[in-house]
Amino acid sequence: MPEGKLCNRKPIETEEELKTLLSDTGGKKYYEEMKSLDVDSGLLWKTIGNTLKSRTKTWLEICAHCGMCADSCFLYLANDCDPKQVPAYKIQSTLGEIVKRKGQVDNEFMHMVMETAWAKCTCCNRCGMYCPHGIDMGVMFSYLRGLCYQQGFVPWELKIGAGMHRVYRAQMDVTDEDFVETFKWMVEENEEDYPGLEVPIDKEGADILYTVNAREVKHYPEDLAEAAILFHLAGENWTVTSTGWEQTSLAMFAGDWAACKMQVESVYEAMERLKPKRMIGTECGHAHRATVVEGPYWAGRSNGKPPVESIHYVEWLAEALREGKLKIDPAKRIKKKVTLQDSCNYVRNHGLKDITREIMSYIVDPGYFIELSPNREHNYCCGGGGGFNGIGLFRPQRNKGLITKRDQIIESGAELVIAPCHNCWDAIRDLEEEYKIGIKWSFLKPIIISMVEIPEHLKPEE
Amino acid sequence: MYEFLTGPMFWLSLGTCFIGITVRFVLYFKGLNWQLERVAYKAYPAQGLKGALNSILNWLIPFGTCGWRKQPFMTLIFFGFHIGAVLVPLFLLAHNIFLKEKIGISLITLHPVIADILSWSVIVCAFLLVLRRISLPEVRILTTAYDYFILLLSVAPFVTGLIARYEIGNYSFWLTTHIICGEALLIAVPFTKLSHIALFFASRAQLGMDYAIKRGGMKGKGMAW
């Protein structure tokens, strides 16, 4: 069958299309249509010809089939060392096979590819660190997702997610007005406790432009308030933009590269319009990767950098604590066993391994911080990265995938897991719901607010 | 036969190997694309070079990376195989006497006992690599006939070379077979997975640049391979 009404090769371009797809609860009809979606082999092979160049070609060719990547993969471990979860096998049997067959693959094959690309790899890139040849299968899976997306073989939620970015320039149906209103409302709610608290909108030349994750606006607005409070207490000259405020990119998880470009350019335009000294993004891993690490390339910036210096929230927080802009009340520091979840997207993929530990040294009483093993750039994915958390069709596989992180946390003996990343935070919440190991989990902002000293001049009048 | 193998065939196989591998190496780097790979290679040449060297050197040291340390048995048989496979063909006394006669130059040479040990190490480790392929499910699932063919092609010059060296059976036959195997190996290098002889360095350099330039190499202490 040619393309379906809901499941097809066309990206979502309008609000109406988005609403139609959203109304198909759970993607029932969408996946039904996918069963008879044709593969456009000509297009597939042409795209490969244009985009699969020497690096990836060489990776596929010289893989020694040594299997050293096997136990680098948390999904291999979580699935009782199933050989079908060996990263090299997963990529060779999907992308490798498509290349070998010059794109001549059928619907059934593409279903298998889709499941492998989204339910057997979170693009955490850990395997690339364990391959003697330096073959990064996470990078190849991300590339493969792009091919799947182009062919219409993409999980329902991610087709929607990419569509959201195309329509709203946000991962959820949050408009610019919603964003500004919600931020203002949250600030008003906290004005009494923090006199002078404000959210400067579209202020030019501020020291900081703060960008967020749309789900904070939609589901966790207190996060916006916490960000405002901490900037306020630190005495920062900051602002948010009324348009181009969304740092995340579900389009990156979906493999919709055109939407990735549209999304990140909206943020860069805000940077260029408001000319802040720095951009600081919220506590999110993939948002940072999308806007700061990969984004410049989607936008065609040959220096690989966003228009202004852009840092992760943990970098700002460490700096504020180090320089005394924020002071922690020593009596309120954490006095229970606490560990830290290293986000793949800004630790393994952006080197921020020590900065979070510096934060721990300020907020945890000596002797209470425990490392997960392994940690830093060798840490395992939370189990829900790369869009895995959000795909209903692959929920059983995701829940199984949480086991590696669960066991890592149990082994550490920690009671509290600090997860400065939305995906990690979700995955750890879900693993507690699923496996009930008796832990708490948190972002950094609420923890800092619970222990920060409020300068005299910022205290509310009695 | 011997004249042909050590004459035109010698030049043909050596030429194919060197030219082929050079072409592949150059094409690899020419084929890199900063936007497709999303690495600003040209914007940060110094960091890129440092990252590339770091990525290559760490992996050339036995137990030098977390990956090697995680799998000590594999590390031993991997290096046991590769050290001999690289050193013996280049620095064997007999090879260098031949080179001296042929082109008038020779390289430093290995002590014959060391050459023997390294050659045996290649054969024993190749055997263990095969056993590993058969016994470990995570390696077995990846293994194809092609992998065995490559291993056979790589180890054949060593087996035949040792038989000739110990003068078991007909020396002239085994010497001729050894030369054929060696030349077949040389010719195969650019066209098969054996191209990793050069492309290992290329691929490792690329990932090293990726990490050094984009993935945090300019933040903090760089990459702990």
Side-chain angles (χ1 to χ4, degrees):
Chain A
M1 180 184 111
E3 299 174 73
K5 192 167 170 282
L6 299 176
C7 184
N8 49 50
R9 287 187 283 277
K10 292 183 290 290
I12 301 283
E13 301 283 10
T14 66
E15 199 169 17
E16 197 192 336
E17 288 169 351
L18 197 53
K19 283 185 174 154
T20 309
L21 190 56
L22 264 171
S23 66
D24 175 30
T25 314
K28 213 169 161 229
K29 189 160 175 245
Y30 175 85
Y31 287 122
E32 201 49 46
E33 285 183 5
M34 191 184 280
K35 285 182 189 161
S36 39
L37 178 66
D38 283 339
V39 180
D40 185 343
S41 296
L43 178 66
L44 183 58
W45 189 235
K46 192 177 158 208
T47 308
I48 288 173
N50 290 336
T51 55
L52 195 139
K53 300 294 181 187
S54 70
R55 178 194 62 172
T56 314
K57 213 181 272 179
T58 304
W59 275 349
L60 287 173
E61 185 192 338
I62 67 171
C63 171
H65 297 166
C66 69
M68 280 184 71
C69 55
D71 57 9
S72 72
C73 178
F74 77 97
L75 283 162
Y76 171 79
L77 299 175
N79 287 282
D80 312 312
C81 302
D82 177 0
K84 291 200 166 159
Q85 288 280 359
V86 174
Y89 175 79
K90 289 186 274 195
I91 200 67
Q92 293 284 350
S93 59
T94 52
L95 180 61
E97 204 55 32
I98 293 174
V99 172
K100 216 179 275 174
R101 298 193 206 171
K102 299 190 179 354
Q104 297 296 323
V105 291
D106 59 15
N107 178 292
E108 194 189 343
F109 185 85
M110 286 305 285
H111 268 86
M112 181 278 285
V113 172
M114 181 177 85
E115 182 173 353
T116 313
W118 277 283
K120 293 186 176 180
C121 179
T122 60
C123 303
C124 81
N125 303 98
R126 193 171 188 270
C127 50
M129 293 184 64
Y130 289 81
C131 169
H133 281 319
I135 300 172
D136 194 326
M137 285 144 280
V139 168
M140 282 198 276
F141 268 112
S142 178
Y143 172 77
L144 181 61
R145 287 178 177 199
L147 298 179
C148 289
Y149 180 85
Q150 184 200 49
Q151 292 293 326
F153 290 89
V154 57
W156 177 71
E157 291 86 349
L158 290 178
K159 178 92 178 195
I160 291 170
M164 290 284 182
H165 286 289
R166 285 171 174 268
V167 174
Y168 297 105
R169 296 294 184 272
Q171 64 160 278
M172 289 175 174
D173 49 352
V174 178
T175 63
D176 290 348
E177 291 73 33
D178 294 338
F179 168 68
V180 171
E181 289 312 310
T182 309
F183 221 137
K184 280 184 179 167
W185 162 58
M186 285 315 295
V187 163
E188 277 165 25
E189 288 281 303
N190 287 274
E191 261 173 346
E192 245 177 64
D193 294 335
Y194 301 94
L197 184 69
E198 56 167 358
V199 50
I201 314 278
D202 289 332
K203 182 176 170 183
E204 284 184 29
D207 292 340
I208 295 167
L209 167 66
Y210 182 60
T211 54
V212 308
N213 179 328
R215 60 184 230 143
E216 291 166 0
V217 186
K218 187 137 180 161
H219 299 305
Y220 305 101
E222 64 276 11
D223 199 290
L224 304 177
E226 288 160 359
I229 291 165
L230 289 172
F231 285 142
H232 172 68
L233 296 180
E236 294 285 18
N237 169 20
W238 69 292
T239 190
V240 293
T241 171
S242 59
T243 179
W245 45 269
E246 163 70 299
Q247 209 198 0
T248 73
S249 182
L250 291 187
M252 175 171 78
F253 292 159
D256 181 356
W257 309 123
C260 287
K261 182 171 156 67
M262 291 174 199
Q263 178 60 45
V264 80
E265 281 179 343
S266 75
V267 184
Y268 293 171
E269 276 159 23
M271 290 181 189
E272 270 155 3
R273 179 167 44 87
L274 299 177
K275 298 180 179 55
K277 289 204 179 85
R278 294 193 292 184
M279 189 277 278
I280 295 172
T282 188
E283 289 178 72
C284 185
H286 97 272
H288 181 79
R289 186 152 175 199
T291 305
V292 182
V293 183
E294 312 285 359
Y297 298 95
W298 296 327
R301 301 182 64 84
S302 60
N303 69 351
K305 303 274 181 222
V308 300
E309 185 192 356
S310 300
I311 61 173
H312 192 273
Y313 196 80
V314 295
E315 293 178 276
W316 173 77
L317 189 56
E319 177 191 289
L321 292 166
R322 188 187 315 131
E323 293 177 358
K325 286 182 192 169
L326 291 175
K327 288 196 178 69
I328 298 296
D329 179 349
K332 291 183 180 167
R333 292 203 293 193
I334 298 171
K335 291 180 190 58
K336 60 178 162 186
K337 285 182 185 171
V338 54
T339 192
L340 173 71
Q341 162 63 10
D342 286 303
S343 158
C344 307
N345 281 323
Y346 66 83
V347 176
R348 181 153 41 254
N349 284 295
H350 209 209
L352 301 180
K353 55 189 171 185
D354 294 325
I355 211 99
T356 40
R357 285 162 178 82
E358 183 187 347
I359 296 170
M360 293 300 117
S361 75
Y362 302 131
I363 67 171
V364 181
D365 246 18
Y368 288 96
F369 176 61
I370 319 162
E371 289 282 9
L372 291 179
S373 174
N375 55 57
R376 294 181 168 82
E377 63 266 67
H378 293 277
N379 191 31
Y380 292 119
C381 169
C382 57
F388 209 4
N389 272 338
I391 306 170
L393 182 67
F394 300 139
R395 183 45 63 113
Q397 293 95 315
R398 199 290 308 258
N399 286 349
K400 192 98 199 268
L402 296 171
I403 289 175
T404 308
K405 186 56 61 189
R406 177 199 70 183
D407 292 350
Q408 233 188 331
I409 295 170
I410 292 174
E411 195 194 334
S412 77
E415 300 161 55
L416 170 67
V417 183
I418 295 179
C421 166
H422 274 276
N423 256 311
C424 299
W425 188 94
D426 276 6
I428 291 163
R429 175 200 59 199
D430 288 358
L431 82 82
E432 176 57 30
E433 266 177 26
E434 184 73 14
Y435 299 107
K436 303 198 172 30
I437 60 171
I439 52 159
K440 302 262 182 242
W441 60 97
S442 179
F443 286 112
L444 279 163
K445 291 188 199 94
I447 290 178
I448 302 292
I449 286 187
S450 73
M451 59 177 67
V452 70
E453 287 180 352
I454 300 173
E456 275 311 311
H457 67 286
L458 296 179
K459 281 185 178 164
E461 283 178 26
E462 292 299 322
Chain B
M1 180 72 165
Y2 180 81
E3 293 305 317
F4 174 71
L5 288 175
T6 55
M9 270 313 285
F10 168 74
W11 290 113
L12 182 71
S13 55
L14 206 63
T16 308
C17 182
F18 275 105
I19 296 166
I21 212 70
T22 307
V23 168
R24 293 217 55 182
F25 196 71
V26 170
L27 285 182
Y28 179 89
F29 285 102
K30 276 191 78 171
L32 289 183
N33 180 312
W34 72 273
Q35 257 185 305
L36 284 177
E37 284 112 44
R38 304 202 289 265
V39 182
Y41 302 112
K42 286 187 181 158
Y44 310 97
Q47 287 92 336
L49 182 67
K50 198 176 154 206
L53 291 175
N54 188 14
S55 163
I56 293 167
L57 292 175
N58 280 298
W59 280 90
L60 286 179
I61 303 165
F63 302 102
T65 61
C66 289
W68 288 135
R69 288 192 289 277
K70 192 100 200 321
Q71 303 205 22
F73 173 70
M74 176 59 176
T75 305
L76 286 175
I77 61 175
F78 174 91
F79 281 98
F81 178 84
H82 280 90
I83 290 172
V86 172
L87 295 184
V88 174
L90 287 175
F91 304 117
L92 187 78
L93 182 62
H95 288 181
N96 280 282
I97 292 170
F98 175 78
L99 269 185
K100 184 85 181 168
E101 280 173 12
K102 201 81 193 165
I103 50 175
I105 55 157
S106 66
L107 307 166
I108 51 160
T109 54
L110 289 169
H111 188 282
V113 176
I114 295 188
D116 278 353
I117 293 170
L118 289 176
S119 302
W120 275 109
S121 163
V122 169
I123 293 167
V124 171
C125 291
F127 177 69
L128 293 172
L129 283 168
V130 170
L131 285 187
R132 184 177 175 276
R133 281 207 178 279
I134 295 167
S135 59
L136 298 183
E138 71 269 30
V139 192
R140 194 163 59 229
I141 193 168
L142 290 163
T143 301
T144 61
Y146 181 49
D147 295 316
Y148 288 118
F149 169 71
I150 292 296
L151 203 54
L152 184 70
L153 202 58
S154 313
V155 89
F158 290 88
V159 175
T160 51
L162 275 182
I163 295 174
R165 179 244 176 278
Y166 292 119
E167 299 185 21
I168 301 164
N170 182 336
Y171 174 78
S172 154
F173 169 79
W174 286 111
L175 182 66
T176 307
T177 313
H178 170 69
I179 297 169
I180 292 171
C181 290
E183 290 177 348
L185 176 70
L186 287 174
I187 291 167
V189 164
F191 309 107
T192 63
K193 257 186 204 195
L194 290 166
S195 57
H196 79 267
I197 290 172
L199 294 179
F200 159 85
F201 295 93
S203 177
R204 280 239 64 91
Q206 193 280 331
L207 195 69
M209 289 191 280
D210 187 336
Y211 270 106
I213 292 167
K214 183 175 80 169
R215 296 202 237 173
M218 289 188 255
K219 300 237 178 198
K221 292 180 203 154
M223 195 67 191
W225 292 108

